[in-house]
Tab-separated table of all heavy atoms in Angstrom:
chain	number	residue	atom	x	y	z
E	1	MET	N	-47.872	26.607	-30.815
E	1	MET	CA	-48.734	26.714	-31.997
E	1	MET	C	-50.161	26.375	-31.473
E	1	MET	O	-50.387	25.405	-30.854
E	1	MET	CB	-48.335	25.703	-33.027
E	1	MET	CG	-49.293	25.770	-34.224
E	1	MET	SD	-48.632	24.631	-35.481
E	1	MET	CE	-50.092	23.701	-35.793
E	2	ILE	N	-51.089	27.203	-31.817
E	2	ILE	CA	-52.520	27.017	-31.470
E	2	ILE	C	-53.197	26.230	-32.559
E	2	ILE	O	-53.086	26.415	-33.791
E	2	ILE	CB	-53.277	28.367	-31.302
E	2	ILE	CG1	-52.685	29.134	-30.141
E	2	ILE	CG2	-54.780	28.121	-31.194
E	2	ILE	CD1	-53.226	30.540	-30.011
E	3	MET	N	-53.750	25.033	-32.136
E	3	MET	CA	-54.520	24.186	-33.145
E	3	MET	C	-55.978	24.726	-33.234
E	3	MET	O	-56.604	25.007	-32.252
E	3	MET	CB	-54.484	22.723	-32.632
E	3	MET	CG	-53.075	22.184	-32.717
E	3	MET	SD	-53.153	20.354	-32.340
E	3	MET	CE	-53.925	19.788	-33.832
E	4	LYS	N	-56.399	24.637	-34.458
E	4	LYS	CA	-57.756	24.937	-34.798
E	4	LYS	C	-58.537	23.679	-35.031
E	4	LYS	O	-58.201	22.906	-35.954
E	4	LYS	CB	-57.860	25.882	-36.070
E	4	LYS	CG	-59.173	26.479	-36.314
E	4	LYS	CD	-59.143	27.397	-37.484
E	4	LYS	CE	-60.332	28.226	-37.643
E	4	LYS	NZ	-60.196	29.225	-38.698
E	5	VAL	N	-59.557	23.355	-34.165
E	5	VAL	CA	-60.213	22.135	-34.192
E	5	VAL	C	-61.673	22.309	-34.675
E	5	VAL	O	-62.408	23.049	-34.058
E	5	VAL	CB	-60.232	21.486	-32.834
E	5	VAL	CG1	-60.931	20.118	-32.877
E	5	VAL	CG2	-58.822	21.267	-32.347
E	6	ALA	N	-62.070	21.602	-35.755
E	6	ALA	CA	-63.517	21.583	-36.158
E	6	ALA	C	-64.095	20.369	-35.516
E	6	ALA	O	-63.542	19.264	-35.531
E	6	ALA	CB	-63.590	21.495	-37.714
E	7	ILE	N	-65.334	20.595	-34.990
E	7	ILE	CA	-66.070	19.445	-34.459
E	7	ILE	C	-67.383	19.250	-35.296
E	7	ILE	O	-68.238	20.135	-35.268
E	7	ILE	CB	-66.434	19.614	-32.977
E	7	ILE	CG1	-65.113	19.909	-32.113
E	7	ILE	CG2	-67.187	18.417	-32.419
E	7	ILE	CD1	-65.381	20.373	-30.743
E	8	TYR	N	-67.352	18.161	-36.075
E	8	TYR	CA	-68.445	17.897	-36.927
E	8	TYR	C	-69.584	17.185	-36.141
E	8	TYR	O	-69.293	16.079	-35.535
E	8	TYR	CB	-67.998	17.061	-38.168
E	8	TYR	CG	-69.065	16.842	-39.155
E	8	TYR	CD1	-69.382	17.721	-40.143
E	8	TYR	CD2	-69.897	15.621	-39.100
E	8	TYR	CE1	-70.359	17.500	-41.109
E	8	TYR	CE2	-70.857	15.440	-40.069
E	8	TYR	CZ	-71.079	16.375	-40.977
E	8	TYR	OH	-72.082	16.172	-41.936
E	9	ILE	N	-70.755	17.764	-36.104
E	9	ILE	CA	-71.907	17.119	-35.386
E	9	ILE	C	-72.950	16.649	-36.314
E	9	ILE	O	-73.159	17.218	-37.376
E	9	ILE	CB	-72.534	18.063	-34.394
E	9	ILE	CG1	-72.928	19.443	-35.042
E	9	ILE	CG2	-71.499	18.424	-33.232
E	9	ILE	CD1	-73.671	20.381	-34.172
E	10	GLY	N	-73.489	15.481	-36.031
E	10	GLY	CA	-74.445	14.823	-36.897
E	10	GLY	C	-75.846	15.566	-36.950
E	10	GLY	O	-76.421	15.639	-38.013
E	11	THR	N	-76.225	16.117	-35.875
E	11	THR	CA	-77.501	16.810	-35.804
E	11	THR	C	-77.379	18.108	-35.018
E	11	THR	O	-76.550	18.236	-34.096
E	11	THR	CB	-78.607	15.842	-35.176
E	11	THR	OG1	-78.205	15.570	-33.808
E	11	THR	CG2	-78.841	14.617	-35.964
E	12	GLU	N	-78.310	19.035	-35.280
E	12	GLU	CA	-78.229	20.267	-34.610
E	12	GLU	C	-78.491	20.192	-33.091
E	12	GLU	O	-77.942	20.978	-32.277
E	12	GLU	CB	-79.246	21.267	-35.206
E	12	GLU	CG	-78.803	21.830	-36.491
E	12	GLU	CD	-77.492	22.737	-36.375
E	12	GLU	OE1	-77.440	23.532	-35.391
E	12	GLU	OE2	-76.629	22.715	-37.248
E	13	HIS	N	-79.205	19.184	-32.659
E	13	HIS	CA	-79.591	19.066	-31.238
E	13	HIS	C	-78.300	18.731	-30.414
E	13	HIS	O	-78.272	18.928	-29.225
E	13	HIS	CB	-80.651	18.083	-30.949
E	13	HIS	CG	-80.279	16.692	-30.918
E	13	HIS	ND1	-80.204	15.912	-32.003
E	13	HIS	CD2	-79.850	15.811	-29.860
E	13	HIS	CE1	-79.795	14.702	-31.687
E	13	HIS	NE2	-79.602	14.622	-30.429
E	14	MET	N	-77.219	18.290	-31.063
E	14	MET	CA	-76.017	17.948	-30.377
E	14	MET	C	-75.375	19.248	-29.782
E	14	MET	O	-74.574	19.161	-28.788
E	14	MET	CB	-74.901	17.380	-31.391
E	14	MET	CG	-75.275	15.938	-31.819
E	14	MET	SD	-75.082	14.770	-30.478
E	14	MET	CE	-73.432	14.945	-30.097
E	15	ARG	N	-75.683	20.480	-30.360
E	15	ARG	CA	-75.112	21.662	-29.800
E	15	ARG	C	-75.341	21.866	-28.302
E	15	ARG	O	-74.614	22.503	-27.668
E	15	ARG	CB	-75.692	22.887	-30.596
E	15	ARG	CG	-75.135	22.993	-31.986
E	15	ARG	CD	-75.537	24.224	-32.780
E	15	ARG	NE	-75.242	24.161	-34.146
E	15	ARG	CZ	-74.108	24.604	-34.654
E	15	ARG	NH1	-73.193	25.128	-33.834
E	15	ARG	NH2	-73.863	24.536	-35.923
E	16	SER	N	-76.456	21.301	-27.851
E	16	SER	CA	-76.859	21.481	-26.419
E	16	SER	C	-76.422	20.282	-25.556
E	16	SER	O	-76.677	20.242	-24.381
E	16	SER	CB	-78.288	21.727	-26.292
E	16	SER	OG	-79.061	20.669	-26.830
E	17	ASP	N	-75.722	19.294	-26.139
E	17	ASP	CA	-75.274	18.091	-25.384
E	17	ASP	C	-74.191	18.482	-24.403
E	17	ASP	O	-73.098	19.056	-24.879
E	17	ASP	CB	-74.805	17.043	-26.363
E	17	ASP	CG	-74.640	15.751	-25.614
E	17	ASP	OD1	-73.693	15.634	-24.801
E	17	ASP	OD2	-75.243	14.746	-25.985
E	18	GLU	N	-74.405	18.190	-23.167
E	18	GLU	CA	-73.379	18.568	-22.165
E	18	GLU	C	-72.011	17.924	-22.338
E	18	GLU	O	-70.958	18.482	-22.034
E	18	GLU	CB	-73.888	18.323	-20.701
E	18	GLU	CG	-73.526	16.978	-20.070
E	18	GLU	CD	-74.059	16.916	-18.661
E	18	GLU	OE1	-75.232	17.349	-18.404
E	18	GLU	OE2	-73.397	16.314	-17.793
E	19	ARG	N	-71.983	16.678	-22.910
E	19	ARG	CA	-70.733	15.952	-23.215
E	19	ARG	C	-69.904	16.719	-24.227
E	19	ARG	O	-68.701	16.907	-24.179
E	19	ARG	CB	-70.980	14.574	-23.555
E	19	ARG	CG	-71.608	13.713	-22.489
E	19	ARG	CD	-72.077	12.472	-22.997
E	19	ARG	NE	-73.158	12.662	-23.905
E	19	ARG	CZ	-73.842	11.812	-24.574
E	19	ARG	NH1	-73.513	10.496	-24.473
E	19	ARG	NH2	-74.846	12.079	-25.394
E	20	LEU	N	-70.604	17.230	-25.314
E	20	LEU	CA	-69.971	17.967	-26.409
E	20	LEU	C	-69.531	19.355	-25.820
E	20	LEU	O	-68.264	19.697	-26.116
E	20	LEU	CB	-70.989	18.293	-27.524
E	20	LEU	CG	-70.470	19.124	-28.657
E	20	LEU	CD1	-69.265	18.532	-29.368
E	20	LEU	CD2	-71.550	19.432	-29.595
E	21	ASN	N	-70.281	19.952	-25.043
E	21	ASN	CA	-69.821	21.225	-24.383
E	21	ASN	C	-68.595	21.037	-23.481
E	21	ASN	O	-67.718	21.904	-23.506
E	21	ASN	CB	-70.991	21.854	-23.665
E	21	ASN	CG	-72.095	22.303	-24.565
E	21	ASN	OD1	-71.783	22.754	-25.703
E	21	ASN	ND2	-73.351	22.189	-24.139
E	22	LEU	N	-68.555	19.881	-22.807
E	22	LEU	CA	-67.383	19.545	-21.980
E	22	LEU	C	-66.092	19.349	-22.880
E	22	LEU	O	-65.076	19.842	-22.553
E	22	LEU	CB	-67.661	18.328	-21.147
E	22	LEU	CG	-66.502	17.902	-20.236
E	22	LEU	CD1	-66.137	18.902	-19.202
E	22	LEU	CD2	-66.965	16.567	-19.488
E	23	LEU	N	-66.299	18.597	-23.974
E	23	LEU	CA	-65.164	18.459	-24.913
E	23	LEU	C	-64.674	19.751	-25.403
E	23	LEU	O	-63.456	19.971	-25.434
E	23	LEU	CB	-65.692	17.609	-26.089
E	23	LEU	CG	-64.625	17.370	-27.159
E	23	LEU	CD1	-63.404	16.671	-26.783
E	23	LEU	CD2	-65.315	16.703	-28.392
E	24	VAL	N	-65.608	20.675	-25.803
E	24	VAL	CA	-65.211	22.049	-26.313
E	24	VAL	C	-64.427	22.753	-25.239
E	24	VAL	O	-63.360	23.319	-25.440
E	24	VAL	CB	-66.404	22.743	-26.828
E	24	VAL	CG1	-66.035	24.239	-27.085
E	24	VAL	CG2	-66.970	22.142	-28.003
E	25	ALA	N	-64.958	22.694	-24.016
E	25	ALA	CA	-64.292	23.417	-22.922
E	25	ALA	C	-62.951	22.948	-22.671
E	25	ALA	O	-62.014	23.670	-22.448
E	25	ALA	CB	-65.109	23.352	-21.630
E	26	GLN	N	-62.717	21.526	-22.643
E	26	GLN	CA	-61.447	20.959	-22.423
E	26	GLN	C	-60.499	21.293	-23.582
E	26	GLN	O	-59.283	21.562	-23.261
E	26	GLN	CB	-61.559	19.513	-22.224
E	26	GLN	CG	-62.234	19.078	-20.920
E	26	GLN	CD	-62.477	17.583	-20.808
E	26	GLN	OE1	-62.515	16.871	-21.775
E	26	GLN	NE2	-62.584	17.166	-19.540
E	27	LEU	N	-60.894	21.289	-24.725
E	27	LEU	CA	-59.982	21.615	-25.906
E	27	LEU	C	-59.544	23.148	-25.777
E	27	LEU	O	-58.390	23.464	-25.953
E	27	LEU	CB	-60.757	21.394	-27.204
E	27	LEU	CG	-60.819	19.935	-27.651
E	27	LEU	CD1	-61.875	19.817	-28.840
E	27	LEU	CD2	-59.532	19.346	-27.987
E	28	GLU	N	-60.526	23.943	-25.475
E	28	GLU	CA	-60.204	25.390	-25.303
E	28	GLU	C	-59.317	25.697	-24.143
E	28	GLU	O	-58.398	26.505	-24.205
E	28	GLU	CB	-61.485	26.210	-25.334
E	28	GLU	CG	-62.156	26.195	-26.633
E	28	GLU	CD	-63.449	26.932	-26.855
E	28	GLU	OE1	-63.946	27.419	-25.779
E	28	GLU	OE2	-63.898	27.068	-27.982
E	29	GLN	N	-59.514	24.976	-23.035
E	29	GLN	CA	-58.599	25.109	-21.843
E	29	GLN	C	-57.164	24.658	-22.153
E	29	GLN	O	-56.229	25.239	-21.605
E	29	GLN	CB	-59.093	24.286	-20.696
E	29	GLN	CG	-60.351	24.959	-19.925
E	29	GLN	CD	-60.807	24.057	-18.859
E	29	GLN	OE1	-60.528	22.881	-18.762
E	29	GLN	NE2	-61.705	24.649	-18.020
E	30	SER	N	-57.053	23.712	-23.125
E	30	SER	CA	-55.718	23.285	-23.505
E	30	SER	C	-55.051	24.138	-24.577
E	30	SER	O	-53.922	23.860	-25.005
E	30	SER	CB	-55.776	21.772	-23.962
E	30	SER	OG	-56.442	21.735	-25.212
E	31	GLY	N	-55.735	25.223	-24.965
E	31	GLY	CA	-55.204	26.163	-25.871
E	31	GLY	C	-55.680	26.033	-27.304
E	31	GLY	O	-55.161	26.787	-28.220
E	32	CYS	N	-56.567	25.204	-27.606
E	32	CYS	CA	-57.119	25.059	-28.951
E	32	CYS	C	-58.222	26.040	-29.259
E	32	CYS	O	-58.913	26.459	-28.265
E	32	CYS	CB	-57.694	23.673	-29.230
E	32	CYS	SG	-56.446	22.297	-29.083
E	33	THR	N	-58.364	26.401	-30.504
E	33	THR	CA	-59.566	27.207	-30.857
E	33	THR	C	-60.496	26.172	-31.488
E	33	THR	O	-60.064	25.200	-32.135
E	33	THR	CB	-59.305	28.315	-31.815
E	33	THR	OG1	-58.706	27.806	-32.976
E	33	THR	CG2	-58.423	29.317	-31.284
E	34	THR	N	-61.747	26.188	-31.265
E	34	THR	CA	-62.743	25.271	-31.711
E	34	THR	C	-63.883	25.910	-32.413
E	34	THR	O	-64.214	27.064	-32.251
E	34	THR	CB	-63.297	24.313	-30.589
E	34	THR	OG1	-64.058	25.219	-29.710
E	34	THR	CG2	-62.222	23.666	-29.811
E	35	TYR	N	-64.568	25.214	-33.275
E	35	TYR	CA	-65.842	25.579	-33.857
E	35	TYR	C	-66.609	24.370	-34.228
E	35	TYR	O	-66.075	23.273	-34.588
E	35	TYR	CB	-65.635	26.551	-35.076
E	35	TYR	CG	-65.048	25.934	-36.286
E	35	TYR	CD1	-65.791	25.493	-37.293
E	35	TYR	CD2	-63.712	25.888	-36.368
E	35	TYR	CE1	-65.248	24.875	-38.492
E	35	TYR	CE2	-63.075	25.339	-37.579
E	35	TYR	CZ	-63.845	24.841	-38.565
E	35	TYR	OH	-63.332	24.286	-39.700
E	36	LEU	N	-67.902	24.449	-34.229
E	36	LEU	CA	-68.761	23.348	-34.613
E	36	LEU	C	-69.214	23.500	-36.085
E	36	LEU	O	-69.360	24.604	-36.651
E	36	LEU	CB	-70.131	23.369	-33.793
E	36	LEU	CG	-69.928	23.159	-32.266
E	36	LEU	CD1	-71.199	23.183	-31.496
E	36	LEU	CD2	-69.145	21.894	-32.022
E	37	THR	N	-69.286	22.417	-36.750
E	37	THR	CA	-69.723	22.399	-38.115
E	37	THR	C	-70.795	21.344	-38.375
E	37	THR	O	-70.878	20.364	-37.512
E	37	THR	CB	-68.563	22.223	-39.124
E	37	THR	OG1	-69.074	22.395	-40.451
E	37	THR	CG2	-67.868	20.953	-38.900
E	38	HIS	N	-71.636	21.509	-39.239
E	38	HIS	CA	-72.755	20.580	-39.518
E	38	HIS	C	-72.930	20.312	-41.016
E	38	HIS	O	-72.276	20.889	-41.889
E	38	HIS	CB	-74.011	21.205	-38.891
E	38	HIS	CG	-75.281	20.364	-39.011
E	38	HIS	ND1	-75.279	19.153	-38.355
E	38	HIS	CD2	-76.428	20.598	-39.522
E	38	HIS	CE1	-76.567	18.643	-38.596
E	38	HIS	NE2	-77.208	19.483	-39.262
E	39	THR	N	-73.751	19.450	-41.404
E	39	THR	CA	-74.026	18.996	-42.757
E	39	THR	C	-74.001	20.134	-43.748
E	39	THR	O	-74.679	21.151	-43.508
E	39	THR	CB	-75.330	18.299	-42.859
E	39	THR	OG1	-75.348	17.197	-41.991
E	39	THR	CG2	-75.606	17.720	-44.257
E	40	GLY	N	-73.212	20.023	-44.782
E	40	GLY	CA	-73.075	20.991	-45.899
E	40	GLY	C	-72.227	22.168	-45.598
E	40	GLY	O	-72.061	22.929	-46.453
E	41	GLU	N	-71.629	22.346	-44.421
E	41	GLU	CA	-70.862	23.413	-44.130
E	41	GLU	C	-69.337	23.072	-44.464
E	41	GLU	O	-68.975	22.011	-44.307
E	41	GLU	CB	-70.942	23.856	-42.654
E	41	GLU	CG	-72.287	24.335	-42.224
E	41	GLU	CD	-72.387	24.645	-40.724
E	41	GLU	OE1	-71.327	24.619	-40.134
E	41	GLU	OE2	-73.499	24.744	-40.302
E	42	MET	N	-68.654	24.043	-44.956
E	42	MET	CA	-67.213	23.808	-45.309
E	42	MET	C	-66.392	24.064	-44.077
E	42	MET	O	-66.819	24.745	-43.140
E	42	MET	CB	-66.865	24.838	-46.423
E	42	MET	CG	-67.517	24.570	-47.722
E	42	MET	SD	-67.302	23.020	-48.451
E	42	MET	CE	-65.654	23.052	-48.844
E	43	LEU	N	-65.216	23.476	-44.027
E	43	LEU	CA	-64.264	23.731	-43.010
E	43	LEU	C	-63.716	25.115	-43.180
E	43	LEU	O	-63.457	25.617	-44.238
E	43	LEU	CB	-63.086	22.711	-42.971
E	43	LEU	CG	-63.587	21.263	-42.733
E	43	LEU	CD1	-62.398	20.329	-42.801
E	43	LEU	CD2	-64.311	21.127	-41.428
E	44	GLN	N	-63.375	25.765	-41.987
E	44	GLN	CA	-62.741	27.059	-42.045
E	44	GLN	C	-61.309	26.983	-42.431
E	44	GLN	O	-60.665	25.905	-42.205
E	44	GLN	CB	-62.871	27.725	-40.671
E	44	GLN	CG	-64.265	27.996	-40.236
E	44	GLN	CD	-64.286	28.646	-38.793
E	44	GLN	OE1	-63.314	28.881	-38.164
E	44	GLN	NE2	-65.467	28.810	-38.287
E	45	GLU	N	-60.805	27.998	-43.060
E	45	GLU	CA	-59.341	28.035	-43.447
E	45	GLU	C	-58.477	27.834	-42.206
E	45	GLU	O	-58.722	28.373	-41.148
E	45	GLU	CB	-59.114	29.422	-44.014
E	45	GLU	CG	-57.716	29.641	-44.568
E	45	GLU	CD	-57.488	28.882	-45.923
E	45	GLU	OE1	-58.500	28.746	-46.657
E	45	GLU	OE2	-56.358	28.546	-46.168
E	46	GLY	N	-57.507	27.028	-42.320
E	46	GLY	CA	-56.478	26.777	-41.298
E	46	GLY	C	-56.910	25.776	-40.337
E	46	GLY	O	-56.292	25.641	-39.267
E	47	THR	N	-57.951	25.053	-40.578
E	47	THR	CA	-58.390	23.961	-39.637
E	47	THR	C	-57.282	22.863	-39.640
E	47	THR	O	-56.879	22.363	-40.705
E	47	THR	CB	-59.719	23.426	-40.101
E	47	THR	OG1	-60.716	24.405	-40.028
E	47	THR	CG2	-60.174	22.283	-39.166
E	48	ASP	N	-56.875	22.464	-38.410
E	48	ASP	CA	-55.867	21.521	-38.257
E	48	ASP	C	-56.395	20.091	-37.995
E	48	ASP	O	-55.824	19.098	-38.433
E	48	ASP	CB	-54.884	21.833	-37.014
E	48	ASP	CG	-54.190	23.122	-37.265
E	48	ASP	OD1	-53.442	23.184	-38.140
E	48	ASP	OD2	-54.347	24.059	-36.465
E	49	VAL	N	-57.574	19.957	-37.291
E	49	VAL	CA	-58.112	18.675	-36.915
E	49	VAL	C	-59.616	18.721	-37.039
E	49	VAL	O	-60.259	19.727	-36.828
E	49	VAL	CB	-57.799	18.372	-35.413
E	49	VAL	CG1	-58.453	17.101	-34.912
E	49	VAL	CG2	-56.310	18.358	-35.172
E	50	LEU	N	-60.186	17.623	-37.583
E	50	LEU	CA	-61.612	17.467	-37.663
E	50	LEU	C	-62.029	16.313	-36.781
E	50	LEU	O	-61.590	15.140	-37.058
E	50	LEU	CB	-62.021	17.183	-39.175
E	50	LEU	CG	-63.429	16.900	-39.398
E	50	LEU	CD1	-64.366	18.021	-38.951
E	50	LEU	CD2	-63.696	16.555	-40.859
E	51	LEU	N	-62.869	16.619	-35.772
E	51	LEU	CA	-63.462	15.495	-34.903
E	51	LEU	C	-64.824	15.324	-35.350
E	51	LEU	O	-65.572	16.237	-35.722
E	51	LEU	CB	-63.376	15.909	-33.465
E	51	LEU	CG	-62.006	16.220	-32.861
E	51	LEU	CD1	-62.164	16.712	-31.413
E	51	LEU	CD2	-61.187	15.030	-32.876
E	52	SER	N	-65.262	14.020	-35.314
E	52	SER	CA	-66.661	13.631	-35.620
E	52	SER	C	-67.333	13.153	-34.338
E	52	SER	O	-66.772	12.385	-33.586
E	52	SER	CB	-66.618	12.541	-36.585
E	52	SER	OG	-67.874	11.962	-36.801
E	53	VAL	N	-68.486	13.774	-34.020
E	53	VAL	CA	-69.305	13.439	-32.853
E	53	VAL	C	-70.649	12.984	-33.273
E	53	VAL	O	-71.439	13.819	-33.837
E	53	VAL	CB	-69.383	14.650	-31.907
E	53	VAL	CG1	-70.186	14.268	-30.683
E	53	VAL	CG2	-68.009	15.156	-31.508
E	54	GLY	N	-70.912	11.690	-33.189
E	54	GLY	CA	-72.167	11.162	-33.545
E	54	GLY	C	-71.976	9.706	-33.814
E	54	GLY	O	-71.086	9.063	-33.236
E	55	GLY	N	-72.791	9.206	-34.815
E	55	GLY	CA	-72.703	7.836	-35.192
E	55	GLY	C	-71.966	7.510	-36.413
E	55	GLY	O	-71.105	8.335	-36.797
E	56	ASP	N	-72.183	6.297	-36.926
E	56	ASP	CA	-71.443	5.881	-38.101
E	56	ASP	C	-71.649	6.826	-39.280
E	56	ASP	O	-70.687	7.235	-39.993
E	56	ASP	CB	-71.821	4.472	-38.530
E	56	ASP	CG	-71.405	3.463	-37.550
E	56	ASP	OD1	-70.589	3.766	-36.615
E	56	ASP	OD2	-71.929	2.271	-37.596
E	57	GLY	N	-72.849	7.256	-39.529
E	57	GLY	CA	-73.209	8.147	-40.625
E	57	GLY	C	-72.497	9.519	-40.423
E	57	GLY	O	-72.062	10.131	-41.460
E	58	THR	N	-72.452	9.954	-39.249
E	58	THR	CA	-71.740	11.238	-38.997
E	58	THR	C	-70.299	11.123	-39.356
E	58	THR	O	-69.724	12.012	-39.939
E	58	THR	CB	-71.896	11.634	-37.475
E	58	THR	OG1	-73.316	11.785	-37.124
E	58	THR	CG2	-71.223	12.994	-37.222
E	59	PHE	N	-69.676	10.001	-38.931
E	59	PHE	CA	-68.252	9.767	-39.248
E	59	PHE	C	-68.039	9.768	-40.671
E	59	PHE	O	-67.091	10.334	-41.251
E	59	PHE	CB	-67.766	8.464	-38.614
E	59	PHE	CG	-66.373	8.110	-38.961
E	59	PHE	CD1	-65.317	8.653	-38.386
E	59	PHE	CD2	-66.157	7.151	-40.002
E	59	PHE	CE1	-63.988	8.319	-38.734
E	59	PHE	CE2	-64.911	6.829	-40.385
E	59	PHE	CZ	-63.798	7.431	-39.665
E	60	LEU	N	-68.956	9.075	-41.482
E	60	LEU	CA	-68.727	8.925	-42.870
E	60	LEU	C	-68.919	10.347	-43.619
E	60	LEU	O	-68.167	10.636	-44.533
E	60	LEU	CB	-69.716	7.898	-43.459
E	60	LEU	CG	-69.467	6.508	-43.054
E	60	LEU	CD1	-70.617	5.613	-43.562
E	60	LEU	CD2	-68.150	6.002	-43.573
E	61	SER	N	-69.847	11.126	-43.134
E	61	SER	CA	-70.113	12.503	-43.639
E	61	SER	C	-68.831	13.323	-43.392
E	61	SER	O	-68.382	14.071	-44.224
E	61	SER	CB	-71.238	13.148	-43.055
E	61	SER	OG	-72.483	12.424	-43.443
E	62	ALA	N	-68.284	13.213	-42.149
E	62	ALA	CA	-67.067	14.005	-41.836
E	62	ALA	C	-65.867	13.567	-42.672
E	62	ALA	O	-65.110	14.426	-43.081
E	62	ALA	CB	-66.777	13.851	-40.388
E	63	ALA	N	-65.789	12.348	-42.999
E	63	ALA	CA	-64.717	11.792	-43.846
E	63	ALA	C	-64.823	12.412	-45.198
E	63	ALA	O	-63.790	12.757	-45.913
E	63	ALA	CB	-64.774	10.307	-43.889
E	64	LEU	N	-66.013	12.551	-45.805
E	64	LEU	CA	-66.163	13.161	-47.088
E	64	LEU	C	-65.778	14.565	-47.066
E	64	LEU	O	-65.066	15.058	-48.020
E	64	LEU	CB	-67.624	13.052	-47.540
E	64	LEU	CG	-68.128	11.632	-47.958
E	64	LEU	CD1	-69.598	11.724	-48.202
E	64	LEU	CD2	-67.429	11.171	-49.134
E	65	ILE	N	-66.061	15.329	-46.023
E	65	ILE	CA	-65.617	16.702	-45.919
E	65	ILE	C	-64.132	16.795	-45.792
E	65	ILE	O	-63.460	17.690	-46.411
E	65	ILE	CB	-66.312	17.405	-44.688
E	65	ILE	CG1	-67.813	17.576	-44.955
E	65	ILE	CG2	-65.615	18.766	-44.354
E	65	ILE	CD1	-68.594	18.049	-43.714
E	66	ALA	N	-63.552	15.923	-45.022
E	66	ALA	CA	-62.101	15.913	-44.828
E	66	ALA	C	-61.319	15.591	-46.147
E	66	ALA	O	-60.283	16.200	-46.424
E	66	ALA	CB	-61.671	15.001	-43.692
E	67	ALA	N	-61.944	14.746	-46.849
E	67	ALA	CA	-61.275	14.341	-48.181
E	67	ALA	C	-61.410	15.454	-49.139
E	67	ALA	O	-60.535	15.711	-49.897
E	67	ALA	CB	-61.994	13.143	-48.705
């Protein structure tokens, strides 16, 4: 089964962060499909996992989306 992973980022500048890009590459190499989401965006249909990348506020915002 292929897992669909949403990665919630706190700010748009995170899109160019090499650590985030490495995480995405490793997830995709392991067979996951990934997409990035940001403030105000809904999760795509069929999302299995939501990861939060950022600080405490990012985590809390992601928790609201997941709920």
Side-chain angles (χ1 to χ4, degrees):
M1 178 178 130
I2 297 175
M3 291 189 71
K4 188 173 194 177
V5 179
I7 303 172
Y8 185 85
I9 55 175
T11 60
E12 283 295 319
H13 83 273
M14 289 291 299
R15 290 184 188 273
S16 61
D17 189 294
E18 97 179 36
R19 296 166 296 178
L20 176 63
N21 293 325
L22 179 60
L23 173 63
V24 169
Q26 289 175 338
L27 286 168
E28 291 179 350
Q29 284 176 347
S30 68
C32 296
T33 59
T34 64
Y35 67 95
L36 298 179
T37 185
H38 185 58
T39 304
E41 297 176 12
M42 299 299 294
L43 297 180
Q44 295 177 6
E45 184 76 26
T47 299
D48 298 300
V49 176
L50 174 61
L51 298 177
S52 171
V53 177
D56 294 346
T58 303
F59 175 80
L60 294 172
S61 295
L64 288 174
I65 291 173

